Amino acid sequence: MTIFMPRHDFHVSIAQVDYKQQSLQMTLRVFTEDLEDRLEEQSGLDLDLGTPTEHEKAPELIAEYLREVLAFEADGMELPMRYIGLEVEYELSYLYLEFPCVEPPKELLVRNQIFFDSFEDQSNIVNVKVGEELRSAFLSPGEGETILEF
Amino acid sequence: MSGFSNYLRLGYEHILSLDALDHILFIVALMAVYQTKHWLKVVIAVSCFTLGHSLTLSLGAFDMVKIDKSLIEFLIPLTIVLTALFNMTKAGQNVNSKSKYWIAGVFGLIHGLGFSNYYGMLVMGDGNYWQALLPFNLGVELAQLLVVLIMLVIMGIYTLIFNRKIRDWNLFVSGAAFGLALIMCLETWPF
C-alpha cells in the first residue's frame, strides 16, 4: 500500500544571478537527488556527486545537461555559457556558472528548463540582479522562458 | 514579476498539489465540526496551523531542528487521526472552545517539520531569508484559505440547501479523514 501518503516532493530550483565584471554570474540551487537521478538515468553511470568517489565524467555530464536547459539572451544575443563547478551540501547542490556579457543587459531573455523532463510540476525561479535592480522569473513547463527588463 | 510574488506563487501552488494532500486533509478534519456561520473561527484555527508550521519550517532552514524524517512522516498523518477522533468527543464538538486553535498550532509545528528540507532550498544564505520565506508562507496560507472557502461553501450547501445536520457532516468528513490518515500512518510506520 503506497497509494495514499503524499511524498512531500518539492520540485523547485532557485537561481541567483548577479551581473558583475562583465558577466552574469549564476548560482543555481537544486536538490542533489534530482540532479543525480536525472544524469544517472541518461548516462547509466553511478555518479556519487560531491563524494570522494564522484565519477570523473560528472562535470562533463552536468555541463552538457545545463547547456540543454539553460540559456540567456541579452538584448537579442545568446550568451556563451561557462560551467564552473558544483558544490554539494547534503540535500542541496550549488551549480556555479558564468555567462560573459560585455554590456549590462537591458532586455534579458531567461530560460531555465532544468528537470522539466523529470517532473511535470517543476518550478524554476531565477532572480537576476543588474546594478541595483532586481528582477525575478518564474519558469514552469507551461512557460519555460521569459523576458526580464532592466 | 517580482521575487515576492514568485515565492508567493510557489507556496500557493505547492499546497494545492497532490503532494500536500495531508495538509489539506488536516484542514478539512480541523474544520469538520464548524458551521458556515463560524467561518471566522475556522480562519483563526487555520491561521494558527500556518503559524505553527511556518515556525518549524523556518527553524528547519536554520538547521536548528533535525529530527528523524521517517518519524515526521509518521507523525503528520497521526495528527489527522487524532484530530478526527477529537471531533467525535463532546469537547471536540464544542465550537466555542479554543482547543481547536491549540491543536492547529501544535500540530502545525509537526507538519512544518515535514517541510524543513524545502527551506534550505528557499534560503540562499545571503541575507534574503525573509525575502523568500515570508511570501512562501503567505502563499501557503492563501492556498489553505482557499481550501477553507471551498469547504465552507460545500458545508453551506449541505446544511442550508439539503437541510442536513452538521453532526452528520462531521461524522462523514472526520470518518473519511480518519480512514485515509490511518492508512498513511500504517504506510509510514517507523517502529
Side-chain angles (χ1 to χ4, degrees), chain A residues 92-145:
Chain A
L92 291 174
S93 286
Y94 300 83
L95 296 155
Y96 299 100
L97 300 118
E98 200 176 37
F99 300 80
C101 179
V102 180
E103 294 288 324
K106 291 192 182 63
E107 202 184 76
L108 186 69
L109 182 131
V110 181
R111 181 182 310 141
N112 182 2
Q113 306 183 347
I114 194 165
F115 306 138
F116 284 6
D117 47 3
S118 306
F119 312 113
E120 57 185 22
D121 61 345
Q122 176 74 23
S123 304
N124 299 324
I125 288 183
V126 183
N127 299 317
V128 185
K129 197 174 170 197
V130 178
E132 286 307 300
E133 298 204 66
L134 238 161
R135 299 283 182 276
S136 180
F138 189 105
L139 304 169
S140 58
E143 193 193 10
E145 57 182 51

Side-chain angles (χ1 to χ4, degrees), chain A residues 6 17 28 47 49-50 54 56 75 97 106 109 120 126 141-142:
Chain A
V17 183
L28 172 61
L47 293 177
L49 294 179
E54 184 179 284
E56 57 177 7
D75 301 303
L97 300 118
K106 291 192 182 63
L109 182 131
E120 57 185 22
V126 183

Side-chain angles (χ1 to χ4, degrees), chain B residues 27-46 83 86-87 91-104 148 151-152 154-156 158-159 165-167 169-170 173-174:
Chain B
I27 292 168
V28 169
L30 186 71
M31 62 187 293
V33 301
Y34 294 99
Q35 297 176 45
T36 306
K37 65 181 179 193
H38 300 130
W39 64 272
L40 187 60
K41 291 184 162 106
V42 177
V43 168
I44 294 172
V46 168
T83 305
F86 187 55
N87 285 345
Q93 287 167 5
N94 178 1
V95 292
N96 294 315
S97 141
K98 293 199 167 48
S99 57
K100 281 278 158 54
Y101 303 163
W102 284 102
I103 285 176
V148 166
M151 290 307 290
L152 286 175
I154 297 173
M155 281 155 69
Y158 182 76
T159 52
K165 290 218 162 37
I166 199 72
R167 217 192 56 162
W169 169 262
N170 178 33
V173 169
S174 295

Side-chain angles (χ1 to χ4, degrees), chain A residues 31-105:
Chain A
F31 286 115
T32 309
E33 194 189 357
D34 296 347
L35 183 66
E36 206 163 63
D37 287 353
R38 175 62 184 76
L39 297 175
E40 287 185 348
E41 188 192 320
Q42 190 180 26
S43 64
L45 299 171
D46 206 359
L47 293 177
D48 291 340
L49 294 179
T51 70
T53 54
E54 184 179 284
H55 200 285
E56 57 177 7
K57 274 197 157 171
E60 192 186 310
L61 286 168
I62 294 170
E64 194 184 308
Y65 181 51
L66 292 178
R67 239 175 271 281
E68 250 174 66
V69 292
L70 272 183
F72 284 107
E73 275 177 32
D75 301 303
M77 291 279 286
E78 175 141 4
L79 302 177
M81 186 193 106
R82 200 163 79 80
Y83 171 64
I84 297 167
L86 163 82
E87 222 177 339
V88 177
E89 261 181 51
Y90 307 104
E91 294 170 317
L92 291 174
S93 286
Y94 300 83
L95 296 155
Y96 299 100
L97 300 118
E98 200 176 37
F99 300 80
C101 179
V102 180
E103 294 288 324

Side-chain angles (χ1 to χ4, degrees), chain A residues 1-6 8-10 12 14 16 27 29-31 91-92 121 123 125 127 136-138, chain B residues 1-3 6-7 9-10 14 19 22 69 73 117-118 120-124 136 180 183-184 187-188:
Chain A
M1 278 201 297
T2 48
I3 314 160
F4 289 108
M5 188 57 193
H8 285 128
D9 282 341
F10 194 40
V12 175
I14 296 181
Q16 223 61 21
T27 306
R29 218 170 349 164
V30 299
F31 286 115
E91 294 170 317
L92 291 174
D121 61 345
S123 304
I125 288 183
N127 299 317
S136 180
F138 189 105
Chain B
M1 273 215 285
S2 71
N6 283 342
Y7 289 113
R9 179 175 164 188
L10 204 60
H14 184 66
D19 279 332
D22 48 355
K69 240 181 169 169
E73 292 290 290
N117 71 322
Y118 302 13
M121 171 56 80
L122 291 174
V123 179
M124 187 70 101
F136 182 83
L180 278 170
I183 293 172
M184 290 180 188
E187 279 181 3
T188 54

